[in-house]
Amino acid sequence: MSSARRGKVVVAADAPALAEIAAERLLARVRQASGRAAVCLTGGSGPLGLYQLLTQEPYRSALPWPRVHWFMGDDRFVPAHDRLNNMGIARRAFLDQVDVPPGNVHPIATDEPSPEAAARLYAAELARFYGSARLDRARPLFDLVLMGLGPDGHTASLFPGDPALDEQERWVVGIDEARLEPYVPRVTLTFPTLASTREMLFLVAGSGKREILARVLAGDELPASRARSDGDLVWLVDRAAAPEQHHAT
Ligand code: 6PG
């Protein structure tokens, strides 16, 4: 473990170890929450090992499912059952396999007429859950926000060069054009909303991510470099993705 300029880097030996550390952190955050807990999930391949672990012991029994609420940091604007839909992927991977009250799953409504309409609806749902339309840094919206890192440095659906990167007021925005595969419109939480968390946890695995991760940790001008957290910011990476100086940690 070592400190990066922005956040803490935790290196896991491999992908299964990464999933286990993520599951432990998720469980700890949920347990710390008094009353209901809010977890913001992510798409991509990064969280799949974690999702699978949550359906297995000891996590299956240890998680207080009735009081955990599941949100999504971004989604592809495709029908809920489409194989590209992030909440659909999370449902199939774990939410459908455990005893989650249906009202605890908060998908982005991708059947709305436009990504913008879906964004407005999701912002209203988040504000309703939070109890205010104004975020207070002393009272984060989420207990845990999971994030991924794309090969171009994007995170959530915040792509390089997109004006959404600078959004400071709106909680959720529609992205008409994804700048990377899959080329479908997106809906994404903005940086200030994602920052409203007790912990932001990036999950980054594989040698293909090594170079872009090194650039982000060095503070290069890339979307993921702008990620902030009102609480902890943790980069959980496997050894294959870890930049050289983090290998011995
Ligand atoms: C999406 C994701 C996206 C993802 C990264 C990393 O909907 O595409 O939310 O931001 O997290 O692209 O994806 P991998 O984990 O597959 O590398």
Side-chain angles (χ1 to χ4, degrees):
M1 209 179 285
S2 66
S3 278
R5 194 152 71 87
R6 294 185 183 84
K8 181 171 77 175
V9 178
V10 176
V11 182
D14 51 22
L18 182 144
E20 203 168 318
I21 296 170
E24 289 296 334
R25 296 193 79 99
L26 187 148
L27 184 59
R29 285 292 167 189
V30 165
R31 280 182 168 158
Q32 275 162 24
S34 54
R36 50 180 203 177
V39 178
C40 186
L41 302 171
T42 182
S45 58
L48 294 180
L50 163 66
Y51 291 172
Q52 204 190 354
L53 269 192
L54 297 181
T55 68
Q56 296 167 13
E57 298 300 348
Y59 305 105
R60 190 183 184 98
S61 300
L63 271 163
W65 297 100
R67 65 176 185 88
V68 189
H69 287 254
W70 307 93
F71 295 86
M72 189 54 77
D74 73 307
D75 217 328
R76 291 89 176 260
F77 201 68
V78 294
H81 60 263
D82 191 291
R83 64 176 183 83
L84 291 177
N85 185 277
N86 286 340
M87 191 57 101
I89 292 169
R91 282 191 200 274
R92 289 188 292 279
F94 80 106
L95 295 169
D96 284 351
Q97 297 178 44
V98 287
D99 216 1
V100 180
N104 287 20
V105 180
H106 303 262
I108 293 171
T110 53
D111 54 354
E112 283 293 297
S114 67
E116 262 313 303
R120 278 196 299 272
L121 209 63
Y122 207 52
E125 176 156 0
L126 288 169
R128 200 163 39 240
F129 179 84
Y130 184 62
S132 168
R134 187 165 281 278
L135 292 168
D136 174 359
R137 295 190 73 169
R139 185 174 72 86
L141 167 59
F142 298 115
D143 292 285
L144 180 70
V145 169
L146 300 176
M147 300 277 263
L149 174 64
D152 57 349
H154 83 264
T155 188
S157 282
L158 295 158
F159 294 96
D162 198 296
L165 295 176
D166 296 317
E167 182 60 54
Q168 294 300 317
E169 297 301 323
R170 299 188 55 200
W171 289 24
V172 189
V173 295
I175 304 286
D176 289 330
E177 229 175 294
R179 305 191 185 209
L180 203 74
E181 281 193 328
Y183 293 102
V184 291
R186 315 287 184 103
V187 179
T188 187
L189 271 60
T190 57
F191 279 126
T193 317
L194 293 163
S196 186
T197 181
R198 296 187 192 280
E199 176 172 333
M200 176 177 282
L201 182 63
F202 273 86
L203 304 175
V204 187
S207 57
K209 293 289 167 72
R210 195 169 180 164
E211 208 179 306
I212 193 74
L213 177 64
R215 288 184 57 199
V216 170
L217 293 177
D220 274 16
E221 182 49 45
L222 291 163
S225 314
R226 298 196 188 195
R228 296 284 178 275
S229 166
D230 289 343
D232 294 338
L233 171 55
V234 180
W235 292 86
L236 176 54
V237 310
D238 71 356
R239 210 168 280 278
E244 204 79 349
Q245 71 269 32
H246 296 290
H247 267 211
T249 59

